[in-house]
Amino acid sequence: EYSSLLRCNVKCQFLGDDSEKRRFKVLVAILDNSGSMSRQWPLVVQAIGRVYSDELLANPSVSLNTVAYNTHADEVKMPTSSEQLQRSLRLSYSPGGITNFQAAFERAKKIILREVTKFTAKGIKSSHIDVTALLFTDGEDTSAPPLGHKTEAATKKARAAGDAFRYFLETMDCPSFVSVAAFGEHHNPEQCQYLSDRYYYINREEVLSEWLAGGLSESLQSSGFVNPKLHLPKGLIMAEPLPRNIGINPDGCIEQEFWLRDESSEGLSQTEEVKVIMESVGSQTAIQGSTALSSATVICSETLQGRTFLIESAEMQLRQIALELRGKRPSPTELALLREKLMGVKESVRSVLEAASDPKSKIQGRCLLLTRLDDLEIRRNRLSYTLGHFEVEKGGDARSIGAVGIDAVLRDASQKVPLSNTAREWLRIVDASNAILPMKKELSTYGKSSTFDSISGCDAKMTMPLGNAMFYRLHGESFSTLVDCSDEPIAYEVFSMLSGSGKKAVAMNGGESFTRVGIPMYVTPEHFRCVQLFLPAVMDQLSDNGAPKHSPTEKLFLELLGRSLASSLRGSGLNSSSSGTNRHNLTLLQKTRSVRAILDSKIKDGSKSLLDELIKSAETFINDPESRIHVTNIYEMASIGLLVAENWPSHCIVQLGEAIIEESMRRIIISKIQNKSESERIQLAWSVLGHSTSGTWLDFPLKDSNTKATQSCNEQFDMLAACDDLKYLEEKFPGVYSPRNVVTLVHILNSPSVPDGRMGLSECYALRSLYQKFTTLVEDARIDRGVWNLFDSLMLEEGDTTKQEEIVRKFGAAFVLEDTPQTLRDILAEPMKSLSQFAVHCLRGLSFFQNNKQNNEQISPRLELASVIDSIVTEREECARKYIIKDANYPSPGPMSAEQWAKNWGSEASPADPILYAKVRSRVHRNNFNKSLTVKEALADKAYRKHGGHFAFPSQLDTFIPGLHRRTRDLHNIWKQIGKETRGPLARKNAVEEMLLRLRWDSRDKAAGTKLSKIVGVIWDGLENRPAGLPISSALWLHDISSDDDEIDYDSDNSRETSKEMEGKEIFVTEKCNSRIYEKGGDADEWSVITGG
């Protein structure tokens, strides 16, 4: 059947100045909001919102208008945003009334005339104004009597109105395009197709999306329309009707195919010509040309052109089948023949599908062919579904879309539809790749091995004639989890085919599957031009996968390069010299080369490239430490050091490396101390500002840190004496520091890396070594062609293979680290500066430190810390004397927030053995479930002490005791309830001893115990309504002058043993609450005594 087909391809280009190429648009959406549109109205409103984007609404070259019609037609006032338009249509134009096409067309004519006049009044030629009308409807015209009913008069009235509308558009001398989107089963398909240049039957939301993405966008982006005419020699006929209008591409190009059929019995003369005329508006010939039949050739089916011919002829056959079915009910014989034709369509492109689906096949335009085959199969399935409705009587498809639906589908399928956006984009890539010159030289041995893709069986040189390019593979569910998958690349179109455009993972034989491609390969300038064709699609896939919104999007590749560098710095391949590791190192260098090319080719602000912008950011990172906090991922900045190495002198790269290490250590410190209290941060700062005559602390091994370091440091720290100590050391040894406990320092610094862009000590050491080796390599290469030109030369065969192998070994060795950091000396390039910064980072954020920074000039960290401590001591003392304990009431007149409590009294004491405390607390809460929370917490603290535990404050100035007043009142109430005596010196003494067990404080501090005993005694006296004595300051570390009556020495050790009477009473209560069967006064196990106490 193909032997009688001729395809006439027309390609032409309009020439003219820029003023002629600029187009102006008048778009009118004519929306049917009659009563029958109630169900479809939300879909129509949503569709208009997608068409009338905010960008189009703000475009002065585009006039957007809307008409809502039912019995009457009204113009919709256009807002400034798509969202406002949709809201207005939903609220103010709800469906109702009948369908009146005449009213709709009359209103649309007035609007078009008005808007075109506005443009022409500005001196714009009418031939430069494109008019597009979009008609949405779901029914026939019912505006002729009897109103609301389908009648022949109403149909004639609608057709006359449509004819008048088309005549009006022709007289406007403007290129015009009318599109009708029809919903449901009650419209008139024949009439809709008659009225429009393109008719769409919308039976699903997906079809509407296809229309919006395909034909509508084509009309909006076109540069006008032309009317085609063909003069055929005798014996040739049109295989299908000519389209009424053909759109001109935005660049002024026309591409169109016409299918002819040879019906001559004797054959056509090769000298006969086919004449093609493209007429613009006004019947003025825009383009004409002719071609002799002698130029016709038989296309080889193994080429892209031949495979495209098979697909397009299959599409044409589907249109022919739809035309045959329209308006009739086929007989069983005809149905069988049509089924056979549908199967024949599928068979005709089977060879194309098999070739395009085989990753090993060397095929050009693979993704273009697959996309068009998918579109073809969708249309074939729609026709097959329609045929099923004619076979119902013979047990076929039992579903029914009605006669109108069948006619609508067939009319839609009989039209030639434009390429989908996806197919159009693949066609653009194919055309652009055809214009790229092939590689002039052969790939070297290294070039072949490093660019070889085992899945497609191609290297970079093989893929270029196919319009393909190599990219590295990534694995991960979302962008944040994407990591390098392999050092082997893959041809992009093969990946797109296997992954369904990135929708599913691609499994590898014996390896991990991959889900995305990321950084491309830079092989030669020609190959990079192919790479650039695919970069937009790669960036879109990364962005759709949850990538952060970068501007420009090319910065995504910088983030991916940072991840590759992070993987290498963490030991994936930098501490070995094996052949596999050498390839991994060269892959990192290859990625750096590719990202550099991408950033250097992205011109921003007219003259400077994105690479120039990154160079500027690296300079700022070095010179402005305060700006470093804004760098989200430190590995990205480390990658910039590799990218700009050829542009900078070596000492600048070294400075960048030290700045990165300094910032990484700051982030490590901040992450370790961010949840620590003010006192703990002060202690840490104090711990690194000591002095030692030897520097042996720098030789402390990094692996010997442990979690007990901070406890050891706490035992040495005396906040009340620290201020004088710091001032003395600064006076005697200014600027010379030594950690008091090096284990504490190592424990904090030796933190593992985390995915938030922070480097650990090992990565910092690896980066310093990498920068040193790479800058040496760069300096050596300056004598030759430069490091990147030298690296590029490795890809091509240039004669001296021995020299190339030596260069490959040299480049790979630049990324090999032979040692790992062993001591602090390996990490801290400037030890005094590092310790000073450590102290400052600990103090940063403290209120007193900020005040000092505002009031004083730069001073040493010791004096800064001394000033902070002095300010805190002064404030805490003033607070403790202001909020005194004088009775059972709280010391503050009103409620305080947690922040205020912490500011005035510091932090509470914490259990020294958290595991033991958690176990005891859980048991106590379980055995006393019916008691109040404050009582259970007090009993848990007491039980913890009974088991040998103790509490510790972060420092002497931290004396906040949670529940001091409430727990004392709880004990007083309990004693009252069980009839225990609460008055008198003995009861007071017993109460104080009991409360010392139930409160959180450091029982190893005798002075604190004495002060707390006095405070509890005053509170107890207040509960007993005893006359108040001298008030007591509310800090355990402050000494008060008290009356002799208050100077009672309560021994802390003796206070842990309570009277038998009290214990027995409390055990009895516990037993009763827990329904346990003990005889009153009987023995109980030790745990019951503790948890019940």
Side-chain angles (χ1 to χ4, degrees), residues 951-1001:
F951 297 92
F953 287 107
S955 72
Q956 295 101 317
L957 267 64
D958 292 292
T959 59
F960 177 65
I961 302 178
L964 172 62
H965 290 74
R966 176 61 186 272
R967 293 184 185 186
T968 306
R969 183 178 291 105
D970 287 341
L971 181 65
H972 187 269
N973 292 337
I974 291 173
W975 283 12
K976 287 284 189 182
Q977 291 173 8
I978 65 176
K980 183 173 176 62
E981 183 60 53
T982 60
R983 287 183 173 274
L986 180 59
R988 184 180 190 272
K989 180 177 182 296
N990 288 338
V992 170
E993 290 175 346
E994 177 67 16
M995 287 309 302
L996 291 184
L997 292 173
R998 295 187 177 212
L999 295 173
R1000 286 194 176 194
W1001 65 287

Side-chain angles (χ1 to χ4, degrees), residues 232-237 262 264 267-269 272 293:
L232 304 178
K234 185 178 179 180
L236 275 184
I237 63 170
D262 179 10
S264 62
L268 296 170
S269 170
E272 295 282 356
L293 291 179

Side-chain angles (χ1 to χ4, degrees), residues 477-514:
E477 295 298 326
S478 63
F479 182 82
S480 60
T481 62
L482 288 177
V483 294
D484 294 334
C485 182
S486 169
D487 293 329
E488 184 179 310
I490 185 171
Y492 181 78
E493 287 202 351
V494 173
F495 162 76
S496 185
M497 181 265 294
L498 295 175
S499 67
S501 298
K503 294 181 177 65
K504 59 183 180 180
V506 179
M508 297 187 297
N509 294 330
E512 188 180 19
S513 63
F514 60 98

Side-chain angles (χ1 to χ4, degrees), residues 125-129 168-176 281-283:
K125 297 179 180 179
S126 58
S127 59
H128 292 174
I129 305 171
F168 163 77
L169 292 178
E170 292 173 1
T171 59
M172 289 291 295
D173 290 338
C174 298
S176 61
V281 177
S283 299

Side-chain angles (χ1 to χ4, degrees), residues 51 65 77 110 144 169 319 344 446 452 501 509 523 588 625 670 689 708 727 748 802 814 835 872 907 979 981 1077:
V51 176
N65 308 272
K77 184 178 180 181
K110 293 179 181 179
L169 292 178
R319 295 195 292 271
Y446 168 74
F452 182 74
S501 298
N509 294 330
V523 184
L588 177 60
I670 294 300
L689 296 178
K708 297 182 179 180
K727 292 178 181 178
I748 289 179
T802 304
L835 293 180
I872 292 176
S907 302
E981 183 60 53
I1077 303 175

Side-chain angles (χ1 to χ4, degrees), residues 21-29 47-53 56-57 59 61-65 129-134 176-177 179 198 211-225 247-250 418 421 424:
K21 292 181 180 180
R22 184 183 179 189
R23 309 296 299 182
F24 296 84
K25 307 286 184 180
V26 174
L27 177 60
V28 181
I48 289 299
R50 293 176 59 184
V51 176
Y52 287 9
S53 63
L56 271 181
L57 285 167
N59 190 339
S61 300
V62 179
S63 171
L64 300 180
N65 308 272
I129 305 171
D130 299 327
V131 177
T132 301
L134 311 175
S176 61
F177 186 84
S179 181
R198 186 158 294 139
W211 173 56
L212 292 173
L216 182 56
S217 64
E218 178 193 37
S219 64
L220 289 177
Q221 297 170 9
S222 69
S223 297
F225 299 91
I248 305 173
N249 294 343
N421 281 353
R424 192 182 297 116

Side-chain angles (χ1 to χ4, degrees), residues 370-549:
L370 288 172
T371 301
R372 297 198 63 174
L373 285 170
D374 288 341
D375 295 340
L376 174 69
E377 184 64 13
I378 290 172
R379 290 193 284 273
R380 197 188 74 85
N381 286 335
R382 290 188 75 183
L383 277 178
S384 177
Y385 175 68
T386 305
L387 280 179
H389 288 78
F390 295 111
E391 299 171 338
V392 174
E393 297 176 358
K394 294 194 173 186
D397 197 328
R399 295 169 294 177
S400 176
I401 59 175
V404 172
I406 292 174
D407 190 28
V409 169
L410 295 176
R411 288 181 182 276
D412 192 4
S414 65
Q415 301 175 120
K416 179 175 173 57
V417 296
L419 292 179
S420 64
N421 281 353
T422 305
R424 192 182 297 116
E425 178 61 20
W426 284 119
L427 179 60
R428 181 194 67 80
I429 291 175
V430 169
D431 290 341
S433 65
N434 288 333
I436 299 175
L437 296 175
M439 291 186 191
K440 298 179 181 178
K441 296 182 179 180
E442 292 294 325
L443 291 176
S444 64
T445 302
Y446 168 74
K448 291 177 180 178
S449 63
S450 63
T451 66
F452 182 74
D453 169 22
S454 59
I455 295 179
S456 66
C458 295
D459 56 35
K461 185 176 176 63
M462 297 177 188
T463 61
M464 279 199 60
L466 308 179
N468 219 334
M470 295 295 186
F471 285 77
Y472 286 107
R473 309 170 185 180
L474 297 172
H475 175 75
E477 295 298 326
S478 63
F479 182 82
S480 60
T481 62
L482 288 177
V483 294
D484 294 334
C485 182
S486 169
D487 293 329
E488 184 179 310
I490 185 171
Y492 181 78
E493 287 202 351
V494 173
F495 162 76
S496 185
M497 181 265 294
L498 295 175
S499 67
S501 298
K503 294 181 177 65
K504 59 183 180 180
V506 179
M508 297 187 297
N509 294 330
E512 188 180 19
S513 63
F514 60 98
T515 56
R516 289 286 184 272
V517 292
I519 299 175
M521 290 199 74
Y522 187 95
V523 184
T524 64
E526 295 84 6
H527 180 267
F528 184 68
R529 288 183 62 190
C530 286
V531 163
Q532 289 177 304
L533 299 177
F534 300 102
L535 286 182
V538 172
M539 291 186 289
D540 286 344
Q541 289 177 1
L542 293 174
S543 299
D544 292 342
N545 205 32
K549 302 300 181 184

Side-chain angles (χ1 to χ4, degrees), residues 38 133 221 245 257 263 269 369 479 489 667 737 919 1022 1033 1093:
S38 298
Q221 297 170 9
N245 287 331
E257 65 183 33
E263 292 199 342
S269 170
L369 295 173
F479 182 82
R667 297 185 182 194
Y737 313 111
K919 179 180 177 182
S1033 62

